[in-house]
Amino acid sequence: MSTSSEYRFSFGPWNIHEGADPFGPPVRPTVEFQRKLEVYKQLGFDAVQLHDDDAVADLENKSWNDAQQEAKALRSTLDSAGLVAEFVAPRLWESDLGVDGGYTANDPQCRAWAIERSKKAIDIAHLMGTDLIVLWLAREGTYIRESKNAAQAYDYIIEAINEMLEYNPAIRIAIEPKPNEPMDQAYVPTIGHALAIAERTSAPHRVGGLIETAHAQLAGLDPSDEMAFALGAGKLWSVHLNDQNGLKYDQDKSFGSVDLRGAFNQVRALEAARYSESGCYIGLDVKAMRTERGPMSTKHLANSKATFEMLVDKARSFPEEKARELIEAREYESLDHLVISHLLGQTVSTKQTSHDNATQVA
Ligand code: GLO
Ligand code: MG
């Protein structure tokens, strides 16, 4: 029985997908958004992460009046399903106007469009009852370094964020850093960059971060340290837990499926900061393997959530006292084995002294 029920979980409709990749077409049928919403509760999830055009399809081509009606209709669908919207993210990377980036595009008309579109996302968030806006800065970067001026680009990002903060004084903005893909080089590759940008905005306390495991790994960083850094600043407002097998394309594997110990350490960082008491969600940005058959593949979501809960139990039952003794004695080889034994369900004898080299398994 899990002891982690106080955590609340979320995912986005894009996490139930048809399996297309850059080399092949969909392999599973399209699942209607409404049908996806029906499985949230069944899978134990409480909140939906939304792009602006998940909430209002074809947003660019709708009158604001129609868009508003659709957002309101979705809100009441969520209400009756016992769900809430966790955040709304402006999807700037699919439009022709966003080809060269949104906030950092070289064309001023494209930059103006990006800010207008973000304001629509903010209005939609308001209608959906959430104050959280997530910025995944997908195309804010370059394919070749010489095509943009980096110092200027950071200024543009800060100006855009300031406009959003001013537009609705109730919102908070969480930046989701990612070092590359789709761009060769992205401007906000790490949470350090994101929080430094926050400090340069007109309301630093309203700008924080969302950390995705795989994005930190792609930057060659330890996701649990990235999380601890944001948690220490009171700025980890959501997470996208998943996993990644080395420096490849962004894989969005199930949480813990590659680096179980790394996953344990992420959970440990969240537990140490009492993240579950913050009201923030555990978001899972995971994708099913292309080999999964239809009609709807959700095992990656259920499995990631179950792994998270098992790791909460592992974090809570970790022999802290023993670990402290080993740390004090600088016995890190023994500490290493203590962690592995714990993860493998073995108990290391507490009679073992801190000077023992050999580990005894009870
Ligand atoms: C892609 C990102 C993407 C965002 C989502 C929410 O690499 O992880 O899935 O999380 O668009 O903004
Ligand atoms: Mg993500």
Side-chain angles (χ1 to χ4, degrees):
M1 183 70 182
S2 172
T3 52
S4 59
S5 53
E6 71 271 27
Y7 280 96
R8 298 185 303 170
F9 297 88
S10 63
F11 67 88
W14 64 90
N15 296 116
I16 298 177
H17 75 123
E18 298 87 350
D21 68 16
F23 307 98
V27 288
R28 294 181 288 269
T30 299
V31 178
E32 291 302 318
F33 182 40
Q34 296 296 329
R35 174 76 194 99
K36 290 181 185 178
L37 291 179
E38 289 164 19
V39 302
Y40 272 75
K41 280 283 173 187
Q42 291 163 17
L43 293 168
F45 288 77
D46 294 320
V48 185
Q49 303 185 335
L50 294 164
H51 295 117
D52 48 5
D53 57 2
D54 290 322
V56 178
D58 201 20
L59 175 62
E60 294 282 344
N61 299 315
K62 285 204 171 121
S63 69
W64 177 241
N65 201 35
D66 289 350
Q68 224 172 337
Q69 294 314 315
E70 277 188 40
K72 283 182 183 162
L74 176 59
R75 172 84 184 267
S76 62
T77 305
L78 295 187
D79 283 350
S80 38
L83 293 166
V84 296
E86 180 194 358
F87 66 67
V88 175
R91 179 153 28 202
L92 302 180
W93 53 92
E94 287 187 356
S95 164
D96 277 357
L97 292 163
V99 166
D100 188 34
Y103 313 128
T104 65
N106 281 320
D107 180 342
Q109 285 185 355
C110 295
R111 295 200 301 276
W113 160 79
I115 292 175
E116 281 318 300
R117 171 82 185 241
S118 305
K119 288 179 179 171
K120 277 190 198 167
I122 291 170
D123 290 336
I124 291 171
H126 177 69
L127 293 167
M128 300 306 304
T130 177
D131 68 346
L132 191 61
I133 304 297
V134 166
L135 300 184
W136 171 45
L137 301 167
R139 297 192 194 279
E140 314 302 349
T142 54
Y143 299 111
I144 53 165
R145 183 45 79 227
E146 299 81 3
S147 62
K148 290 182 185 173
N149 173 329
Q152 170 96 82
Y154 282 112
D155 286 346
Y156 285 150
I157 292 171
I158 291 161
E159 281 163 28
I161 291 176
N162 282 345
E163 278 208 45
M164 290 181 238
L165 293 169
E166 196 181 321
Y167 180 67
N168 182 335
I171 58 152
R172 292 174 301 141
I173 293 177
I175 300 174
E176 179 181 345
K178 184 178 182 184
N180 60 277
E181 200 199 38
M183 306 312 291
D184 180 46
Q185 299 283 341
Y187 283 129
V188 188
T190 69
I191 194 67
H193 290 76
L195 296 193
I197 282 173
E199 290 306 309
R200 290 179 59 199
T201 67
S202 55
H205 64 287
R206 292 168 57 204
V207 184
L210 176 159
I211 294 179
E212 173 161 329
T213 313
H215 297 181
Q217 289 167 329
L218 286 170
L221 297 168
D222 182 298
S224 67
D225 282 354
E226 292 288 277
M227 289 175 189
F229 176 74
L231 286 162
K235 294 243 180 161
L236 188 64
W237 296 342
S238 190
V239 288
H240 272 173
L241 300 185
N242 56 18
D243 214 343
Q244 171 77 22
N245 192 8
L247 297 182
K248 298 176 181 153
Y249 61 95
D250 185 8
Q251 297 180 304
D252 294 335
K253 283 175 174 286
S254 290
F255 183 54
S257 88
V258 180
D259 182 3
L260 193 58
R261 184 171 179 172
F264 168 69
N265 281 316
Q266 289 165 64
V267 172
R268 220 165 159 238
L270 295 168
E271 280 279 293
R274 303 162 87 103
Y275 181 85
S276 64
E277 294 167 27
S278 70
C280 298
Y281 286 88
I282 296 295
L284 298 169
D285 201 357
V286 288
K287 279 209 179 77
M289 289 180 235
R290 195 163 188 268
T291 43
E292 283 296 287
R293 293 190 176 85
M296 170 151 45
S297 182
T298 55
K299 283 184 196 149
H300 58 305
L301 291 159
N303 292 347
S304 294
K305 178 174 180 288
T307 301
F308 178 87
E309 288 171 333
M310 287 190 276
L311 289 174
V312 170
D313 289 344
K314 282 287 170 192
R316 291 183 184 174
S317 57
F318 185 67
E320 298 289 352
E321 187 54 43
K322 181 73 190 160
R324 243 189 317 273
E325 283 170 25
L326 295 174
I327 290 165
E328 272 168 29
R330 217 181 66 194
E331 292 273 1
Y332 300 156
E333 290 290 356
S334 301
L335 177 64
D336 188 35
H337 196 66
L338 182 73
V339 174
I340 291 170
S341 304
H342 183 66
L343 288 176
L344 292 177
Q346 306 289 314
T347 314
V348 174
S349 166
T350 48
K351 285 191 209 89
Q352 182 194 3
T353 73
S354 58
H355 300 293
D356 285 347
N357 272 335
T359 311
Q360 303 161 19
V361 176

